[in-house]
């Protein structure tokens, strides 16, 4: 099973969506509002991070919620990733 890490903040709907998508997975959530050290840690890992959530899978940066959604759709074989305009 993969290990997930989500850097999150309060009142962030995309953070909530990311946590919901990974329900049942091995997920650690670090809320930057709860501990300022989490923001410092995130900036050391990804100095270009400007939005939340910031999601890591097995210590590799996935990105934000949209990147997570794409990754999960591809890995789960969702038909939502197929170009339906053809």
């Amino acid at each position: 099973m993969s290990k997930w890490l989500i850097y999150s903040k309060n009142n962030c709907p995309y953070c909530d969506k990311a946590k919901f998508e990974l329900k049942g997975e091995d997920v650690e959530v670090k809320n930057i509002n709860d501990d300022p050290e989490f923001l410092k840690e995130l900036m050391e890992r990804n100095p270009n991070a400007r939005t939340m959530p910031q999601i890591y899978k097995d210590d590799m940066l996935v990105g934000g919620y949209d990147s997570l959604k794409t990754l999960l759709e591809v890995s789960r074989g969702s038909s939502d990733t197929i170009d339906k305009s053809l």
Side-chain angles (χ1 to χ4, degrees):
M1 179 180 272
S2 296
K3 182 166 174 51
W4 296 87
L5 170 62
I6 301 175
Y7 288 95
S8 180
K9 68 179 184 177
N10 294 343
N11 302 312
C12 171
Y14 288 101
C15 298
D16 295 338
K17 287 180 177 188
K19 290 181 258 185
F20 180 80
E21 289 291 335
L22 295 173
K23 193 175 183 177
E25 300 285 333
D26 182 9
V27 180
E28 179 180 7
V29 176
K30 293 187 176 183
N31 187 317
I32 63 169
N33 297 114
D34 294 342
D35 188 340
E37 286 298 312
F38 293 154
L39 179 58
K40 182 179 174 186
E41 178 184 302
L42 172 60
M43 290 295 103
E44 289 172 1
R45 290 183 81 166
N46 183 9
N48 296 321
R50 298 291 178 260
T51 61
M52 291 291 171
Q54 290 294 307
I55 304 164
Y56 289 80
K57 178 182 180 185
D58 297 326
D59 290 322
M60 298 292 295
L61 178 63
V62 171
Y65 173 74
D66 289 337
S67 297
L68 170 66
K69 189 78 169 152
T70 299
L71 176 69
L72 293 176
E73 286 172 351
V74 169
S75 67
R76 294 174 180 164
S78 172
S79 61
D80 293 343
T81 60
I82 297 172
D83 183 359
K84 295 181 180 174
S85 65
L86 299 175

